[in-house]
């Protein structure tokens, strides 16, 4: 029987710096979106792939940061999930190659490779079917975006009929195409040979270079890269494009990259909306009689206590042991573990950090521009907003107490 394995790249503590202050006390891949750790969404999509043997998470966080999560998710999904720690960054393809013996131990016929910080519907089963039809080495998930935003990503040109990947450029200076790389791939084991070739070629170039300094003047970039550091986009996709090896599968659903807290709030909403189709049991309901009024898509952790006179939604995610008082209004927000929101407080377009407390009649809000620096309000861990204080379009670092109102500020 054909087996499939999935590899999810989770990065490390040196990455995700744009995710502060939320990444101070939790690795970014474990930050909750729609009430589930970020990495949980690609993992649960992998679970739907037929004949899935194992899931590997590759990154350079300390193992202890993932131990609890990996064991609980393995038990919950009844599928082995393992965390593999890189000794140093090897690049997106190099990391795969570094652990090739472990990844290949079940002799899989196909290997999925996903980035943890992309948010999409992960149409993996359909993608695998298409990949088998194309019979190439790899298939890349792609999406059409506006020409203005395309240049922030890897742009690619695909044959409209055969869907072959003909040309690939990472963050081009000029417009190439409105099709972009979603950071989700499926490969045959031939990918390991391809990565090996890049390393070997680089070693040969290095040996040549001892003989001639002309090449050094010609190519300063390749000189800087260690031989075992291989990037999937520049080192594999670009050179193998147009060689009948790589193909594309276009998603018609949503796709976003989760680089900032603002985008995480947007993506939390996208995942909540997707729960309607994949996990409707996770969405809260309530009409304000016995439980709070729920508007739109809302997740409430079973341990949270929400007063029946509160009104929650749309796009609200409430984590463990949160207490929400009478008359509270929550719209477009992520409320993290152990937060208390007291009577008649209002929270709009904000992320409220662990163990924070929001006083009576206070307001924590923002305009909700997910891309702007202060477009959403963020309270770090254990921030206290006193009664009747208003916080607008601001970022507040952990352990601060606010007894006066603030607007458009970063409170250090």
């Amino acid at each position: 029987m054909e087996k499939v394995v999935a590899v999810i790249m989770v990065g490390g503590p040196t990455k995700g710096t744009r995710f502060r202050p939320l990444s101070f006390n939790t690795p970014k891949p474990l930050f909750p979106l729609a009430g589930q750790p970020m990495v949980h969404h690609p993992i649960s999509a992998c679970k739907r792939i037929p004949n899935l043997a194992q899931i590997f998470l590759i990154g350079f966080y300390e193992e202890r940061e993932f131990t609890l999560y990996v064991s609980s998710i393995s038990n919950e999904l009844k599928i082995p999930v393992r965390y593999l720690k890189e000794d140093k960054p090897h690049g997106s393809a190099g990391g795969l190659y570094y652990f090739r013996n472990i990844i290949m131990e079940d002799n899989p016929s196909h290997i999925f490779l996903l980035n943890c910080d992309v948010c999409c519907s992960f149409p993996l089963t359909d993608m695998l079917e298409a990949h088998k039809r194309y019979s190439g080495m790899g298939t890349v998930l792609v999406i059409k975006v506006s020409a203005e935003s395309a240049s922030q990503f890897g742009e690619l040109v695909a044959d409209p009929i055969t869907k072959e990947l003909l040309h690939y450029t990472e963050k081009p200076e000029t417009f190439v195409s409105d099709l972009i790389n979603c950071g989700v791939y499926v490969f045959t084991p031939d990918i390991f040979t391809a990565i090996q070739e890049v390393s070997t070629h680089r070693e040969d170039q290095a040996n040549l270079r001892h003989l001639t300094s002309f090449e050094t003047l010609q190519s300063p970039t390749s000189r800087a890269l260690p031989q075992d550091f291989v990037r999937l986009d520049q080192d594999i996709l670009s050179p193998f494009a147009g060689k009948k090896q790589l193909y594309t599968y276009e998603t018609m659903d949503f796709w976003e990259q989760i680089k900032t807290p603002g985008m995480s709030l947007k993506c939390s909403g996208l995942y909540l909306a997707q729960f309607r189709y994949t996990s409707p049991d996770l969405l809260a309901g309530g009409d304000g009689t016995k439980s709070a009024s729920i508007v739109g898509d809302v997740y409430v952790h079973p341990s949270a206590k929400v007063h029946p006179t509160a009104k929650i939604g749309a796009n609200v995610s409430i984590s463990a042991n949160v207490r929400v008082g009478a008359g509270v209004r929550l719209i477009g927000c992520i409320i993290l573990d152990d937060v208390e929101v007291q009577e008649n407080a209002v929270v709009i377009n904000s992320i409220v950090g662990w163990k924070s407390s929001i006083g009576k009649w206070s307001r924590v809000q923002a305009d909700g521009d997910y891309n702007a620096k202060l477009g959403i309000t963020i309270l770090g861990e254990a921030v206290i907003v006193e009664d009747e204080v208003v916080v607008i379009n601001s970022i507040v670092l952990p352990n601060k107490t606010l007894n006066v109102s603030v607007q458009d500020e970063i409170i250090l």
Side-chain angles (χ1 to χ4, degrees):
M1 189 181 77
E2 289 200 340
K3 286 186 179 160
V4 178
V5 295
V7 175
I8 302 173
M9 292 296 187
V10 297
T14 52
K15 301 272 185 215
T17 49
R18 284 189 276 175
F19 214 67
R20 292 174 184 158
L22 300 172
S23 52
F24 282 146
N25 67 335
T26 184
K28 180 180 159 183
L30 297 182
F31 182 79
L33 305 180
Q36 316 293 320
M38 187 184 293
V39 71
H40 187 98
H41 299 281
I43 288 176
S44 56
C46 290
K47 171 75 171 117
R48 299 193 282 272
I49 304 167
N51 308 327
L52 181 77
Q54 279 202 73
I55 298 173
F56 302 98
L57 309 182
I58 296 181
F60 36 103
Y61 289 98
E62 291 305 323
E63 271 141 12
R64 60 184 159 73
E65 304 232 52
F66 279 86
T67 313
L68 269 173
Y69 176 70
V70 161
S71 68
S72 76
I73 193 72
S74 300
N75 290 335
E76 184 189 324
L77 298 182
K78 309 278 180 283
I79 197 143
V81 179
R82 289 166 67 180
Y83 176 68
L84 304 174
K85 182 181 185 290
E86 295 183 77
D87 56 345
K88 60 175 201 272
H90 290 91
S92 42
L96 196 66
Y97 188 75
Y98 184 74
F99 292 112
R100 63 195 177 280
N101 296 339
I102 298 176
I103 293 167
M104 289 304 295
E105 68 191 6
D106 286 306
N107 240 340
S109 59
H110 294 92
I111 300 140
F112 273 93
L113 179 64
L114 300 86
N115 282 303
C116 167
D117 64 353
V118 302
C119 163
C120 67
S121 63
F122 297 109
L124 305 180
T125 306
D126 296 346
M127 196 176 163
L128 181 58
E129 288 306 306
H131 172 74
K132 288 175 178 173
R133 286 197 307 274
Y134 303 146
S135 65
M137 173 177 73
T139 299
V140 184
L141 188 69
V142 300
I143 193 168
K144 269 197 177 65
V145 294
S146 69
E148 303 83 66
S149 62
S151 61
Q152 303 160 34
F153 308 102
E155 293 183 21
L156 44 92
V157 178
D159 184 303
I161 314 290
T162 66
K163 307 299 178 201
E164 190 198 341
L165 177 65
L166 299 175
H167 182 70
Y168 184 88
T169 335
E170 186 66 14
K171 300 189 175 75
E173 304 279 319
T174 55
F175 178 73
V176 176
S177 159
D178 59 355
L179 272 185
I180 62 163
N181 173 4
C182 291
V184 176
Y185 314 89
V186 59
F187 294 109
T188 62
D190 295 339
I191 184 66
F192 293 114
T193 316
I195 300 169
Q196 171 69 54
E197 282 171 10
V198 172
S199 290
T200 312
H201 176 71
R202 216 174 260 166
E203 194 177 8
D204 295 346
Q205 296 292 62
N207 294 337
L208 268 178
R209 212 169 284 133
H210 294 308
L211 308 171
T212 164
S213 57
F214 179 67
E215 147 92 312
T216 321
L217 299 169
Q218 290 294 303
S219 158
T221 47
S222 61
R223 190 186 65 224
L225 289 173
Q227 176 191 325
D228 57 356
F229 187 89
V230 182
R231 300 156 304 181
L232 197 61
D233 28 35
Q234 294 99 317
D235 300 325
I236 302 288
L237 301 186
S238 294
F240 282 89
K243 296 188 175 161
K244 304 226 180 318
Q245 294 268 14
L246 299 173
Y247 291 83
T248 58
Y249 180 80
E250 187 180 343
T251 174
M252 298 300 176
D253 292 333
F254 59 93
W255 181 85
E256 295 289 350
Q257 220 173 2
I258 317 167
K259 292 295 187 199
T260 59
M263 285 314 294
S264 76
L265 185 53
K266 180 177 188 178
C267 293
S268 190
L270 290 169
Y271 279 142
L272 283 170
Q274 204 201 2
F275 282 169
R276 280 183 238 167
Y277 310 103
T278 58
S279 327
D281 51 306
L282 288 176
L283 292 172
D287 57 2
T289 45
K290 288 195 177 68
S291 60
S293 305
I294 302 292
V295 183
D297 302 315
V298 171
Y299 169 84
V300 179
H301 190 275
S303 63
K305 290 185 172 48
V306 181
H307 195 276
T309 60
K311 191 172 179 185
I312 316 291
N315 181 17
V316 173
S317 165
I318 296 177
S319 294
N321 306 313
V322 167
R323 296 172 306 292
V324 176
V328 165
R329 183 73 177 103
L330 304 178
I331 304 171
C333 55
I334 296 174
I335 310 288
L336 295 164
D337 296 0
D338 306 308
V339 165
E340 181 173 19
V341 185
Q342 296 178 28
E343 296 88 284
N344 303 309
V346 175
V347 182
I348 303 175
N349 298 329
S350 301
I351 297 177
V352 180
W354 306 264
K355 303 184 182 66
S356 291
S357 129
I358 297 177
K360 298 175 185 132
W361 295 101
S362 58
R363 295 180 74 92
V364 174
Q365 64 183 72
D367 302 337
D369 176 350
Y370 299 121
N371 293 306
K373 190 175 183 186
L374 296 175
I376 69 159
T377 287
I378 301 163
L379 305 185
E381 186 181 10
V383 166
I384 297 169
V385 176
E386 296 198 344
D387 294 356
E388 299 177 30
V389 166
V390 179
V391 183
I392 301 177
N393 297 345
S394 294
I395 295 174
V396 184
L397 265 65
N399 307 305
K400 296 277 169 272
T401 297
L402 295 181
N403 49 17
V404 293
S405 295
V406 294
Q407 182 165 358
D408 304 317
E409 280 193 64
I410 297 177
I411 311 286
L412 303 169

